[in-house]
């Protein structure tokens, strides 16, 4: 049992039994999810996000065996005799593919609203020493809260980038994988890493970086233990050195070799701020994009977070190589990083998805809000034609699926694809007076009505089915409080 739990018991006598009930590896299954054989959702507006952007004003979707068995206009075809069917009348709702979160740091739920007015480098150097005190219970509570919140805001698949592994922290990757299983989302965690501390010219303190051989061995072990490459996979491991200013070139090169040898994807941060441009110029005499290309980090098995400061030449190289980008508009605004060239990237053919980024640089963390923010930032940069509501929706769905290498089976509502579906309430005050449901989703303030992952209902009537929301909030709050106390040196010194 991690030490901070004792502190929690001391401070919260009413929670005396809590630590022993906190899940470690064995987690209660999603018992509240009913295993219905055939589910029909009908009488709703269906935005398929397929190649023709097909929409049905009043359409249906049929789910069977975790996949979409039928989609089309009008009511669903009748079931064969004897097939048990649950029929959901979704009149007044909009049905879309589940949103795909292409970039996150779930552990940062424990430091929300810390360093509120900093640039990226100032923000990081304030938080590194706090994150150094994390352990598996803090990470589990943070990840469960973050994933629950993503589910409630329309996300069916999330990536994560966990790059900080304190020596005494326990198995942090397992802690977040356990949380994803508990909440019931499809999960693509990157075993991230930093190996370039301050003494070697990097940004993070030496206390939070790892040895390169340890990183590579741990990453390979995580792939061997967890990665499921099957088409309906709920869990895929990603190789993820953190960023050019906190990893060595050797780690970048060897990580790429490892990922390609194992057939898994690669993810890192790139060109987030002007500071990073200066860092790369000073240390490597090139741009961040040129730097990663030299290290074999462009390709259709790679996607990068941010790319705010890509020039036209870099955008062209990303398009030529199929390298993806996770655009994180809220986080970029929160840290004053700049406005990414989203329109230029989409026009060039770069695969672009949307990401909420970590809760310490996007405290709201609502997946659906990223569509709104992407549209606003694109238009602030490029005018009113820079991005349409439907382009924003496609970016958050099929664009994210391309980044994660899942566009064959995710990202659109088409027969045969996995039944990852969001149903939005576009009525009420939020949608009143807006005739176009997709406009309500992107310009307005829709509420999630239901969420299905592989046909299993995770959210119903706007409530999470797989976990108690108040428990998630309470446990994540205690985790953040414990981390604050530790970071202040009051305990676990
Ligand atoms: Zn990030």
């Amino acid at each position: 049992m991690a030490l901070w739990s004792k502190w929690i018991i001391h401070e919260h006598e009413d929670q005396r039994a809590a630590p022993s009930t906190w899940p470690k590896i064995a987690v209660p299954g999603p018992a509240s999810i009913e295993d219905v054989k055939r589910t029909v959702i009908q009488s709703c507006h269906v935005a398929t996000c397929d190649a023709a952007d097909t929409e049905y004003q009043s359409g249906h979707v049929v789910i069977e065996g975790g996949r979409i068995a039928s989609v089309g206009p009008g009511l669903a075809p009748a079931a064969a005799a004897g097939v048990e069917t649950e029929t959901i009348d979704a009149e007044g709702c909009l049905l879309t593919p589940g949103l795909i979160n292409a970039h996150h740091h779930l552990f940062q739920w424990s430091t929300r609203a810390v360093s509120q007015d900093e640039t990226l480098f100032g923000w990081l150097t304030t938080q590194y020493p706090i994150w150094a005190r994390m352990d598996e219970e803090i990470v589990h509570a943070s990840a469960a809260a973050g994933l629950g919140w993503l589910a409630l805001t329309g996300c069916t698949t999330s990536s994560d980038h966990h790059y900080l592994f304190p020596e005494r922290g326990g198995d942090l990757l397992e802690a977040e994988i356990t949380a994803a299983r508990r909440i019931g989302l499809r999960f693509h965690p990157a075993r991230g890493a930093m190996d370039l501390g301050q003494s070697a010219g990097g940004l993070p303190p030496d206390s939070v970086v790892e040895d390169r051989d340890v990183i590579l061995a741990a990453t390979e072990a995580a792939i061997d233990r967890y990665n499921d490459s099957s088409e309906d996979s709920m869990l895929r491991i990603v190789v993820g050195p953190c960023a050019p200013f906190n990893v060595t070139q050797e780690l970048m090169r060897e990580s790429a070799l490892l990922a390609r040898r194992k057939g898994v994807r690669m993810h890192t941060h790139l060109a987030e701020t002007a500071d990073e441009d200066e860092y790369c110029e000073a240390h490597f005499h090139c741009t961040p994009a040129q730097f990663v290309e030299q290290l074999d980090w462009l390709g259709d098995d790679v996607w990068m977070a941010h790319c705010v400061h890509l020039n036209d030449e870099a955008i062209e190289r990303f398009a030529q190589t199929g390298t993806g980008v996770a655009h994180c508009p809220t986080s970029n605004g929160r840290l004053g990083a700049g406005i990414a060239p989203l329109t230029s990237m989409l026009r060039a053919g770069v695969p672009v998805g949307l990401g909420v980024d970590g809760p310490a640089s996007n405290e709201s963390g609502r997946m659906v809000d990223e569509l709104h923010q992407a549209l606003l930032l694109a238009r602030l940069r490029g005018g009113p034609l820079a991005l349409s509501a439907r382009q924003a929706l496609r970016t958050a769905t099929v664009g994210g699926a391309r980044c994660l290498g899942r566009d064959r089976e995710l990202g659109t509502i088409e027969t045969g694809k996995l039944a990852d579906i969001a149903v939005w309430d576009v009525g009420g005050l939020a949608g009143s007076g807006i005739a176009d449901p997709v406009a309500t989703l992107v310009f307005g303030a829709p509420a999630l009505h239901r969420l299905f992952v592989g046909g299993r209902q995770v959210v119903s009537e706007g409530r999470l089915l797989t976990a108690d929301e108040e428990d998630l909030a309470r446990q994540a709050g205690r985790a953040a409080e414990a981390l604050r106390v530790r970071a202040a040196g009051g305990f676990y010194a």
Side-chain angles (χ1 to χ4, degrees):
M1 183 61 61
L3 292 172
W4 77 271
S5 297
K6 295 172 190 164
W7 176 83
I8 286 296
I9 292 171
H10 177 71
E11 290 296 311
H12 299 269
E13 290 299 324
D14 58 322
Q15 300 296 334
R16 194 178 299 274
S20 64
T21 63
W22 280 32
K24 284 214 175 270
I25 302 170
V27 173
S32 56
I33 295 175
E34 293 175 36
D35 188 17
V36 176
K37 261 190 139 176
R38 181 175 186 266
T39 303
V40 169
I41 310 165
Q42 60 188 13
S43 305
C44 51
H45 188 110
V46 178
T48 65
C49 297
D50 66 9
D53 253 343
T54 307
E55 294 183 23
Y56 304 105
Q57 281 192 357
S58 179
H60 71 268
V61 170
V62 178
I63 301 169
E64 286 179 2
R67 289 179 183 265
I68 296 168
S70 168
V71 52
L75 299 178
V83 175
E84 185 190 347
T85 300
E86 180 190 14
T87 300
I88 296 167
D89 180 351
E91 193 174 352
C93 291
L94 167 68
L95 185 152
T96 69
L99 307 181
I100 294 176
N101 178 29
H103 187 62
H104 209 2
H105 309 287
L106 288 161
F107 70 87
Q108 291 178 8
W109 193 281
S110 58
T111 56
R112 293 165 95 196
V114 171
S115 39
Q116 296 179 18
D117 308 302
E118 300 265 17
T119 63
L120 175 68
F121 282 13
W123 178 91
L124 280 169
T125 49
T126 304
Q127 304 214 48
Y128 283 139
I130 306 174
W131 295 333
R133 303 304 186 98
M134 286 186 299
D135 67 16
E136 56 192 6
E137 293 190 56
I138 289 174
V139 169
H140 179 86
S142 300
L147 290 162
W149 191 233
L150 283 173
L152 287 166
T153 56
C155 174
T156 47
T157 297
S158 186
S159 60
D160 191 58
H161 192 184
H162 191 103
Y163 53 79
L164 204 140
F165 292 84
E167 204 175 333
R168 289 187 288 167
D171 192 337
L172 304 191
L173 193 66
E174 180 186 73
E176 64 168 0
I177 287 171
T178 305
R181 288 178 174 153
R182 180 178 170 198
I183 302 300
L185 295 195
R186 240 177 262 285
F187 196 40
H188 286 225
R191 201 300 180 185
M194 301 188 290
D195 73 334
L196 187 68
Q198 276 168 4
S199 64
L203 191 69
D206 291 353
S207 59
V208 297
V209 303
E210 295 175 277
D211 174 79
R212 186 163 67 250
D213 291 339
V214 170
I215 292 166
L216 291 166
T219 306
E220 182 158 7
I223 296 166
D224 291 343
R225 180 173 175 195
Y226 295 115
N227 190 59
D228 174 5
S229 59
S230 64
E231 197 184 70
D232 59 354
S233 172
M234 293 292 288
L235 180 61
R236 290 205 184 154
I237 301 296
V238 176
V239 175
C242 187
F245 47 83
N246 54 36
V247 301
T248 60
Q249 297 182 54
E250 291 79 7
L251 180 63
M252 291 291 284
R253 273 205 190 85
E254 290 182 36
S255 295
L257 288 172
L258 171 64
R260 286 171 176 144
R261 177 162 59 81
K262 296 299 238 180
V264 302
R265 295 181 84 75
M266 299 149 59
H267 182 52
T268 190
H269 294 91
L270 196 76
E272 182 172 355
T273 65
D275 288 346
E276 188 178 326
D277 266 348
E278 288 170 21
Y279 182 94
C280 284
E281 182 56 42
H283 288 76
F284 315 123
H285 311 296
C286 61
T287 66
Q290 290 167 337
F291 174 66
V292 291
E293 178 154 26
Q294 290 163 16
L295 302 172
D296 296 327
W297 264 76
L298 294 188
D300 61 6
D301 53 356
V302 183
W303 88 104
M304 315 260 190
H306 302 302
C307 298
V308 172
H309 298 275
L310 286 195
N311 59 26
D312 289 347
E313 182 192 341
I315 290 171
E316 193 53 38
R317 287 300 294 144
F318 272 52
Q320 286 166 353
T321 55
T323 307
V325 170
H327 174 44
C328 305
T330 302
S331 174
N332 296 157
R334 159 74 161 79
L335 292 170
I339 301 177
L342 175 61
T343 309
S344 299
M345 292 192 286
L346 291 174
R347 202 173 282 146
V350 175
V352 183
L354 297 184
V356 298
D357 205 355
S361 65
N362 178 2
E363 283 76 1
S364 158
R366 288 171 44 84
M367 186 63 214
V368 66
D369 287 357
E370 297 308 315
L371 283 71
H372 186 81
Q373 305 286 30
L375 182 133
L376 296 184
L377 288 202
R379 291 182 176 194
L380 282 169
R381 182 179 172 120
L385 300 180
L387 194 77
S388 71
R390 283 164 175 80
Q391 283 176 306
L393 177 59
R394 286 183 61 78
T395 305
T397 52
V398 69
R402 286 183 71 193
C403 285
L404 269 53
R406 303 295 302 264
D407 50 314
R408 279 166 53 96
E409 64 271 22
L410 296 175
T412 64
I413 303 295
E414 294 179 275
T415 302
K417 285 214 164 181
L418 296 172
D420 288 13
I421 293 168
V423 182
W424 307 91
D425 183 351
V426 289
L429 284 174
S432 171
I434 304 178
D436 176 4
V438 177
T440 305
L441 181 74
V442 181
F443 292 95
L448 184 74
H449 186 49
R450 294 176 190 266
L451 191 79
F452 297 84
V453 179
R456 303 165 83 197
Q457 201 168 173
V458 172
V459 174
S460 177
E461 308 287 340
R463 301 292 296 180
L464 196 60
L465 296 180
T466 48
D468 184 293
E469 292 168 34
E470 278 151 27
D471 280 350
L472 294 180
R474 189 168 51 246
Q475 289 166 3
R478 276 193 275 143
E481 191 180 357
L483 195 57
R484 277 195 293 273
V485 168
R486 283 185 184 186
F491 183 76
Y492 196 72

